Amino acid sequence: MNQKVRLKVNGTDHELDIPARRLLLDCIRYDIGLTGTKESCSVGVCGACAVLVDGEMYASCITLAAAVDGSEITTIEGIAENGNLHPVQQAFIDHGGFQCGICTPGQVIAAISLLEENPDPTEDEIKQYMMGNLCRCTGYYGILNSIAAAAEDMNKAAGSGE
Amino acid sequence: MIDFEYHAPTSLDQVFGLLDQFGDDARIMAGGTALVIQMKQRLSQPSHVIGLRRVGDLDAIESTPEGLRIGALCTQRQIEKSRLVGEELPLVADTFRKVATPRIRNMATIGGGLVNGDPNQDPPPALIALGASAVMTSKGGDRVVPLEDLFIDYYETDVQPGEILTSVLVPHAPAGSGSVYLKFLPRTADDYGTVTVAAVVSKEQDGTCKDVRIVLGSVGVTPIRAKQAEDALRGKPLTDENIRAAAALVKDAVDPLEDFRGSAEYKTDMAEVFARRAVEQAIAAIPVGS
Ligand SMILES: Cc1cc2nc3c(=O)[nH]c(=O)nc-3n(C[C@H](O)[C@H](O)[C@H](O)COP(=O)(O)OP(=O)(O)OC[C@H]3O[C@@H](n4cnc5c(N)ncnc54)[C@H](O)[C@@H]3O)c2cc1C
Ligand code: FES
Ligand code: FES
């Protein structure tokens, strides 16, 4: 049955007329057309589909769009500002945070969510938080290094009053 | 997933009205982490899904004279990070921190996790060991069900038609007690436990065991309280020998299913080992001077 669902995605309002069974993931990719968010396991395990729902990291593959009606959604397309990559994105490029890239949007969203909550995480805290984001390519060290570097960059920028 | 209608009631009265109207064709949805997967796999095919997210007042954590009242819609992450829970019931905070990954804990709720009735879940053994109860609410009022009695069978819980779980009551841990939740994770850190054990132990001045609760997960169709092992230890000196003898009785209480985490025999052996370690660690956690 079709229902009205309103979502603000990366700052843009969308009013959708979609079946109640539409997953947030499919809604973002096919109804709204933002294909940066990826699908891999489809059961909440891998993190490829991670997005922020009202600032909290969710697995969009097991979230009904109708259930988050009225929420603000942030996807990988919404984190660069004025054409400048987010420091986490830049760090993934500079520190070998990805190879094939399929897990990367989810890794970056998870890393942003971590640093929002804990701006100066220890290596162990990064591992704990990121354990739900699987990667078949990098062996994870590139991702760890990228996140540690991003935290340092962001703290420096915050310290210098930028 | 088959098609359905999604309802977003904003009050408990509306929830009960919808449950009345649609009966067995309706399913309640909290975080949806279990239900959406079950619907994708067609294990559950409701024609009406009643989302609780808009119902106010179900996501508070309150201190009461008896303990804590945790609203059914509190997310696992909210509980793990709550200062109140961390101070008054550190075992609960620690247990929720061991569930899945931060992304799942952001979505999954305490109520959904209990009603789901999956014996591999972490919170039930710890909450049972603490003597927690569920408040089931219907049009007719509240019914308090000790969590020990909530779990009937594999994915089957004592939820009556027209009822929803609205809060969980967790009493203060007994004075002078120590507690622990062990999750045996030989595969990956985000897995379900191969065997899990919660233990709460308190002792008398003279060092004998005043009370003990040992509850296991992942070793049967429901969480299992090892009453024989508890009885064997209660009133006895907390010596290595007595702890070992009690833990050995856990083997008779469990009835694990063989799966990719191990054979039934292996899990039975590990249940004994982890029950012993849990009791030892709970004793070590008893505050000095008590
Ligand atoms: C990838 C993944 C990994 C996981 N790993 C773990 C783990 O390591 N340890 C662990 O313990 N768990 C784990 N889980 C399970 C998770 O804890 C449960 O899925 C979750 O607790 C269910 O809560 P929910 O709010 O999402 O419930 P929902 O999916 O919304 O509902 C679950 C069931 O409860 C019913 N229900 C929900 N709320 C109520 C209510 N208030 N009153 C009456 N009925 C209700 C629903 O109708 C449904 O039958 C994992 C889940 C996933 C997806
Ligand atoms: S696709 Fe959603 S968690 Fe894997
Ligand atoms: S970069 Fe290929 S899966 Fe992570």
Side-chain angles (χ1 to χ4, degrees):
Chain A
M1 220 186 120
N2 272 26
Q3 304 193 206
K4 289 255 180 307
V5 173
R6 287 157 303 114
L7 297 175
K8 189 177 207 146
V9 182
N10 302 331
T12 307
D13 286 311
H14 295 267
E15 191 161 322
L16 305 142
D17 189 31
I18 50 176
R21 66 175 167 182
R22 182 80 91 235
L23 297 166
L24 179 60
L25 172 70
D26 295 335
C27 176
I28 290 168
R29 286 180 58 89
Y30 305 120
D31 298 321
I32 296 174
L34 295 174
T35 54
T37 304
K38 304 301 181 197
E39 174 163 27
S40 179
C41 73
S42 317
V43 289
V45 172
C46 76
C49 68
V51 299
L52 303 181
V53 175
D54 294 328
E56 304 228 17
M57 177 175 46
Y58 271 43
S60 63
C61 70
I62 52 171
T63 302
L64 297 179
V68 293
D69 180 22
S71 300
E72 290 195 20
I73 313 289
T74 306
T75 71
I76 190 69
E77 289 91 343
I79 58 169
E81 265 181 62
N82 310 321
N84 297 318
L85 291 182
H86 188 284
V88 171
Q89 288 174 302
Q90 190 60 50
F92 269 66
I93 294 171
D94 295 342
H95 299 273
F98 60 91
Q99 290 176 25
C100 81
I102 201 87
C103 72
T104 314
Q107 303 282 2
V108 170
I109 290 286
I112 289 174
S113 163
L114 162 67
L115 297 178
E116 180 73 28
E117 181 176 315
N118 180 357
D120 195 14
T122 63
E123 185 177 325
D124 202 52
E125 286 168 342
I126 299 177
K127 285 185 183 167
Q128 282 296 322
Y129 198 90
M130 298 298 296
M131 80 179 165
N133 286 76
L134 307 185
C135 176
R136 303 254 73 175
C137 302
T138 61
Y140 296 103
Y141 287 100
I143 296 173
L144 274 172
N145 295 340
S146 302
I147 297 172
E152 212 180 301
D153 291 348
M154 288 164 75
N155 290 334
K156 250 189 233 151
S160 70
E162 267 179 52
Chain B
M1 215 185 305
I2 66 157
D3 205 9
F4 55 83
E5 190 177 343
Y6 184 84
H7 304 267
T10 53
S11 70
L12 281 180
D13 278 346
Q14 290 175 12
V15 173
F16 300 138
L18 290 162
L19 284 174
D20 253 4
Q21 191 179 347
F22 300 117
D24 281 351
D25 293 333
R27 283 300 286 275
I28 295 286
M29 185 160 112
T33 59
L35 185 60
V36 171
I37 294 175
Q38 287 157 13
M39 292 195 301
K40 279 187 171 189
Q41 296 170 341
R42 302 209 171 190
L43 296 169
S44 180
Q45 307 196 21
S47 18
H48 297 272
V49 173
I50 305 172
L52 295 183
R53 291 172 72 101
R54 298 260 143 121
V55 180
D57 298 338
L58 288 179
D59 62 353
I61 302 178
E62 294 158 356
S63 190
T64 73
E66 295 79 40
L68 289 187
R69 174 187 285 267
I70 304 179
L73 237 57
C74 289
T75 63
Q76 296 177 335
R77 192 113 173 104
Q78 182 187 349
I79 296 167
E80 145 199 3
K81 285 166 60 177
S82 152
R83 201 174 47 86
L84 205 53
V85 175
E87 280 169 9
E88 298 198 18
L89 292 164
L91 175 64
V92 173
D94 185 53
T95 303
F96 277 94
R97 202 168 291 126
K98 289 177 173 160
V99 174
T101 59
R103 185 178 54 255
I104 296 298
R105 300 200 295 276
N106 277 340
M107 304 172 65
T109 65
I110 185 171
L114 292 173
V115 174
N116 196 39
D118 173 350
N120 297 317
Q121 287 182 186
D122 298 296
L127 292 171
I128 292 172
L130 287 169
S133 318
V135 179
M136 311 300 291
T137 307
S138 65
K139 255 190 326 200
D142 287 349
R143 180 171 73 98
V144 178
V145 184
L147 289 189
E148 201 177 338
D149 303 329
L150 183 73
F151 302 96
I152 297 172
D153 206 339
Y154 198 60
Y155 284 94
E156 192 184 331
T157 44
D158 175 19
V159 183
Q160 300 299 318
E163 235 177 28
I164 69 163
L165 193 159
T166 48
S167 66
V168 179
L169 307 174
V170 195
H172 297 299
S177 66
S179 61
V180 72
Y181 177 70
L182 299 183
K183 180 173 185 178
F184 178 38
L185 285 169
R187 299 170 75 243
T188 59
D190 65 344
D191 198 10
Y192 288 93
T194 294
V195 167
T196 68
V197 189
V200 179
V201 184
S202 53
K203 62 179 182 189
E204 306 279 9
Q205 296 288 344
D206 66 2
T208 55
C209 174
K210 184 171 174 195
D211 199 8
V212 53
R213 288 219 191 192
I214 304 168
V215 188
L216 296 100
S218 300
V219 286
V221 294
T222 63
I224 291 173
R225 187 167 164 199
K227 284 195 175 149
Q228 273 188 308
E230 295 176 4
D231 291 343
L233 205 54
R234 204 175 288 111
K236 294 258 179 62
L238 288 166
T239 59
D240 280 355
E241 199 186 347
N242 288 339
I243 294 168
R244 273 179 193 280
L249 296 172
V250 164
K251 279 183 147 178
D252 298 326
V254 303
D255 188 13
L257 299 169
E258 166 161 357
D259 62 13
F260 51 86
R261 294 189 186 89
S263 65
E265 195 188 358
Y266 174 67
K267 290 186 192 180
T268 305
D269 286 345
M270 289 304 109
E272 175 181 349
V273 171
F274 278 84
R276 175 171 55 74
R277 290 184 190 169
V279 170
E280 287 167 355
Q281 292 180 29
I283 295 169
I286 296 176
V288 227
S290 47

